[in-house]
Amino acid sequence: QVDHAVVSGQLADAWADGMEPRASVATAARLHDIGWRHWEEAPRLNPDTGRPANFLDVVIDEHLRLYRLGIEEVEAVDPYAGMLVSMHAAGIYTGRYGTQPALLLTRAPAVQELVDAFIAEQEARYGAAKLALDVPDDELWRNFLLLQVFDRLSLRLCLGDPAGMGPMEIVLPEDQTLTVTLDGDVERLDPWPFAVDELTIEVPTRTIALEGHADDAALRAAIAAAPVDVRRTTLRSEEHMSELQSLAYLVCR
């Protein structure tokens, strides 16, 4: 989760325009899952499967604790970024405030009272921050949407879209939609939102066995011993793709 957030920050840094205050939104993107480091510092096995637990295996009350820790940490660095991360955390349990209704946490209904209390707590928190920082409603909503773009696109680049790697649509400000399509090993984005024609994202990875770990300590030792590799994904604009195809034609000819 922490590495995925770093990738979100890379996407924010490359964003073309319409992101103000730019530094604060980029900070929110880079740190929005920083609370998860408390869990990732001590990875464990899923007791139901005996396999390494991933972030989707974490019970909801632990989710909430980690998000609270992260929000406090981001607020201390940048109050505006903390406001956005607080809204993002509430959005995880509200279908990203209607922009991704299919986002469902299967374990949430079992502890719905805790979830509802968390949402109310964060809405009061980021609402108070909005007033204190004198942030207009339309600016808050715009930057919330941008944070969701960076989060969802980064998740796709890091682990693949859980719904499959078909075309993906993400809500943009001004009632626009970002469409992401995988073409070979290149992700095509329409409209192209970055300040550069081509962007290569590097995702750090470790490879370990899914099974055979005696206990949590053995799992942690295996992760620590695994070398860090880099998986690269290239994003290109349609215009740049056309230029490359024309160049290839000229060279072949």
Side-chain angles (χ1 to χ4, degrees):
Q1 285 286 74
V2 175
D3 288 337
H4 136 71
V6 171
V7 171
S8 300
Q10 293 173 11
L11 297 170
D13 288 339
W15 199 253
D17 54 28
M19 192 173 85
E20 294 294 338
R22 189 175 188 89
S24 292
V25 179
T27 295
R30 187 177 68 255
L31 298 180
H32 74 271
D33 277 336
I34 193 64
W36 283 84
R37 67 183 173 82
H38 299 283
W39 183 76
E40 292 175 358
E41 286 169 354
R44 64 205 70 169
L45 296 170
N46 181 333
D48 296 329
T49 65
R51 292 183 168 190
N54 65 35
F55 72 101
L56 296 174
D57 295 326
V58 176
V59 294
I60 296 299
D61 55 350
E62 180 69 354
H63 265 215
L64 304 181
R65 184 184 77 87
L66 296 171
Y67 280 127
R68 286 187 175 103
L69 288 172
I71 291 163
E72 291 175 1
E73 190 166 342
V74 179
E75 278 182 346
V77 173
D78 183 326
Y80 193 108
M83 172 188 65
L84 288 178
V85 174
S86 173
M87 187 175 183
H88 170 76
I92 293 297
Y93 302 97
T94 59
R96 299 184 193 268
Y97 284 108
T99 63
Q100 190 190 4
L103 177 63
L104 300 173
L105 299 178
T106 55
R107 300 188 184 196
V111 287
Q112 195 61 50
E113 288 186 6
L114 289 178
V115 170
D116 291 344
F118 177 80
I119 294 169
E121 171 192 318
Q122 296 310 316
E123 288 183 340
R125 187 174 198 141
Y126 72 72
K130 179 179 75 73
L131 292 175
L133 297 169
D134 194 23
V135 179
D137 288 340
D138 58 345
E139 178 184 312
L140 176 61
W141 181 245
R142 178 184 184 84
N143 288 331
F144 168 77
L145 290 179
L146 289 177
L147 181 53
Q148 306 320 296
V149 174
F150 306 140
D151 181 42
R152 293 188 63 191
L153 184 53
S154 174
L155 285 171
R156 179 176 172 108
L157 297 175
C158 289
L159 55 79
D161 188 345
M165 291 301 282
M168 178 182 187
E169 294 187 344
I170 309 176
V171 176
L172 289 171
E174 281 99 41
D175 297 323
Q176 291 185 302
T177 301
L178 177 66
T179 301
V180 187
T181 308
L182 184 63
D183 183 3
D185 60 351
V186 175
E187 293 277 14
R188 296 191 181 196
L189 278 66
D190 181 31
W192 182 250
F194 300 112
V196 293
D197 291 330
E198 181 175 301
L199 182 64
T200 298
I201 297 297
E202 297 186 344
V203 180
T205 65
R206 297 176 190 258
T207 301
I208 63 167
L210 279 177
E211 299 174 335
H213 307 287
D215 51 29
D216 291 346
L219 170 66
R220 292 166 192 166
I223 293 174
V228 178
D229 298 317
V230 174
R231 188 176 75 246
R232 294 177 177 84
T233 301
T234 300
L235 311 176
R236 290 192 186 124
S237 68
E238 289 290 340
E239 181 179 348
H240 188 49
M241 287 292 293
S242 297
E243 290 174 357
L244 290 175
Q245 289 165 354
S246 298
L247 179 60
Y249 172 76
L250 290 172
V251 170
C252 291
R253 185 179 178 188

